[in-house]
Amino acid sequence: MTHTTQATAVRGALLAAVALLAASPASAAARTAPGDTHRGDWLYLTVTRGDARYAETRGTLLRCGPPRGHARAAEACAELTAAGGDIGAIPQTKDVFCPMIYAPVTVHARGEWHGRLVAYRETFSNACAMGARTGAVFALDG
């Protein structure tokens, strides 16, 4: 019984310490410092081509501030910045006519943008439709 009570007390103390640190003015100032380039902005991106039986997956880590780790990092970071880190809010490319060929492409993104967790998953009918909808973010081939 004593062991359980001590473990609960220690867990409670740790949670209280974390809450105090997160709420402290110094912590808030560090997260919102003027000129902050959001060094924590990153996404691990994967593109899976094909169906479940014959899938080919490629992945990369996109880091912004400065842009790196991706064939078109600067362009992808600019698009994400304009969309507030929301891949679904990236404007669809106009004047793109994609073939009506079913060659499924599933994309995943997970990471952090401006201190907020990001999780995105969508399946497109083909790579052209994916590119028209997500811009340079999932253009892993350059």
Side-chain angles (χ1 to χ4, degrees):
M1 233 10 170
T2 304
H3 178 67
T4 304
T5 305
Q6 289 175 339
T8 302
V10 169
R11 187 177 318 130
L14 287 173
L15 289 173
V18 169
L20 283 173
L21 286 173
S24 74
S27 176
R31 287 191 303 263
T32 59
D36 187 6
T37 58
H38 303 288
R39 296 190 200 295
D41 294 345
W42 63 273
L43 295 175
Y44 184 73
L45 307 166
T46 61
V47 176
T48 304
R49 296 175 189 269
D51 61 17
R53 293 174 293 176
Y54 304 104
E56 171 195 334
T57 301
R58 295 192 56 189
T60 193
L61 180 64
L62 170 65
R63 298 183 60 90
C64 299
R68 62 191 182 278
H70 183 291
R72 294 170 56 188
E75 188 178 351
C77 289
E79 290 172 350
L80 285 165
T81 298
D86 181 2
I87 297 169
I90 294 173
Q92 185 163 340
T93 306
K94 298 187 185 300
D95 300 329
V96 172
F97 299 98
C98 294
M100 294 183 65
I101 297 172
Y102 185 70
V105 179
T106 302
V107 296
H108 291 259
R110 62 186 177 279
E112 184 177 315
W113 192 266
H114 294 226
R116 190 179 87 245
L117 292 179
V118 174
Y120 177 85
R121 178 180 192 265
E122 190 162 345
T123 299
F124 298 93
S125 58
N126 57 49
C128 178
M130 174 199 70
R133 184 63 197 90
T134 63
V137 174
F138 292 101
L140 304 185
D141 297 332

